[in-house]
Amino acid sequence: MEIGKENKFVEFIKKYGIYVAVGVVVFAVALTFTLLATLNGSVPTGTGNLQFVMPMENASVIKDYSDTALQKNETLNQWEAHLAVDLASESSDVFAVLDGTVASVDYNYGDGYTITINHSDGFVSIYSSLQEDTAVKEGDNVVAGQKIGSASESSSNELDLGSHLHFTLMLNDDYVDPNDYLSLQAK
Ligand SMILES: [Zn+2]
C-alpha cells in the first residue's frame, strides 16, 4: 500500500514535475519583482489614466531635481538637495500639469508666490517663484494645460537663477522626481 502510493507520487513527479518547477519559478520571480517594486516605492499608483502636461512651453531645465546629491545654491551660498526642477522659458506662462483643484495660493519669502494644486491618485503639484498676479485662486478647478500664472524672480532663495519656475511634484506626501512623469529634458 505504502509502496504503491510512493510509486504514484514518483510517477506524478516524473510526469508533471517540470510544470510544478516552472510554476514555482514563475511565482518566485513575480514575488521578487513585487517586493522590489514595493521597497523602492516605485509602483506607479494608477498613473495610467493621467496625462501630464508640461508646466512651461519649450522650457529649459536650469536646475535639476536631486534628492541625495547636493547642489550649490549660489544665492544662499550653501550646498543643498533640490527637491524640484527649475524651469525657464522665453514665455513666462505657467500651466497646470494635470486636472485638479487649487489648494492654495500663497507667498513666503523663500519660495515666492506659490500655487499648490491637488490632483487625483495622490498627486500634488506646486509652482513656486511665480508673479504675484496669479490666474487662479484657492478652490478653483483647473484642467491640464490651463495657464495658472507666470514665472518670475519672487523666490528669494533662488535669486541667482533669474526669472524661473520652481516646480515640485509630490505623490502620497512624498517628493518625487518630476522627470519621472514629464519629458523635461527632451526640449
Ligand atoms: Zn528651485
Side-chain angles (χ1 to χ4, degrees), residues 64-127:
D64 213 344
Y65 178 94
S66 62
D67 52 359
T68 49
L70 302 183
Q71 298 187 68
K72 180 80 180 283
N73 181 321
E74 300 289 350
T75 302
L76 303 176
N77 194 30
Q78 67 185 24
W79 291 83
E80 59 187 20
H82 188 244
L83 302 174
V85 285
D86 291 325
L87 300 169
S89 174
E90 252 175 56
S91 163
S92 61
D93 291 351
V94 172
F95 309 101
V97 294
L98 290 169
D99 295 355
T101 305
V102 177
S104 63
V105 179
D106 51 27
Y107 172 84
N108 72 69
Y109 183 77
D111 298 322
Y113 292 94
T114 298
I115 295 173
T116 301
I117 303 178
N118 290 333
H119 308 287
S120 60
D121 296 346
F123 281 100
V124 175
S125 58
I126 305 167
Y127 313 76

Side-chain angles (χ1 to χ4, degrees), residues 74-184:
E74 300 289 350
T75 302
L76 303 176
N77 194 30
Q78 67 185 24
W79 291 83
E80 59 187 20
H82 188 244
L83 302 174
V85 285
D86 291 325
L87 300 169
S89 174
E90 252 175 56
S91 163
S92 61
D93 291 351
V94 172
F95 309 101
V97 294
L98 290 169
D99 295 355
T101 305
V102 177
S104 63
V105 179
D106 51 27
Y107 172 84
N108 72 69
Y109 183 77
D111 298 322
Y113 292 94
T114 298
I115 295 173
T116 301
I117 303 178
N118 290 333
H119 308 287
S120 60
D121 296 346
F123 281 100
V124 175
S125 58
I126 305 167
Y127 313 76
S128 298
S129 196
L130 298 176
Q131 282 178 24
E132 182 174 4
D133 58 337
T134 57
V136 293
K137 61 182 188 309
E138 187 180 326
D140 284 357
N141 289 320
V142 295
V143 294
Q146 180 178 335
K147 182 182 173 182
I148 56 172
S150 304
S152 79
E153 300 178 308
S154 68
S155 164
S156 302
N157 283 349
E158 295 185 333
L159 281 176
D160 59 295
L161 299 177
S163 176
H164 74 285
L165 166 69
H166 177 93
F167 176 71
T168 308
L169 189 62
M170 305 196 77
L171 174 58
N172 300 327
D173 297 327
D174 281 326
Y175 291 96
V176 291
D177 186 347
N179 290 289
D180 292 344
Y181 302 92
L182 292 155
S183 307
L184 297 169

Side-chain angles (χ1 to χ4, degrees), residues 1-21:
M1 190 71 177
E2 284 300 309
I3 290 164
K5 261 188 188 170
E6 228 166 68
N7 282 344
K8 267 190 182 169
F9 179 69
V10 169
E11 247 173 60
F12 176 82
I13 292 297
K14 273 185 183 164
K15 232 177 175 178
Y16 302 109
I18 185 68
Y19 298 110
V20 173

Side-chain angles (χ1 to χ4, degrees), residues 52-58 94-97 145 182-186:
F52 282 83
V53 171
M54 291 294 188
M56 290 186 94
E57 224 170 46
N58 297 319
V94 172
F95 309 101
V97 294
L182 292 155
S183 307
L184 297 169
Q185 313 289 337

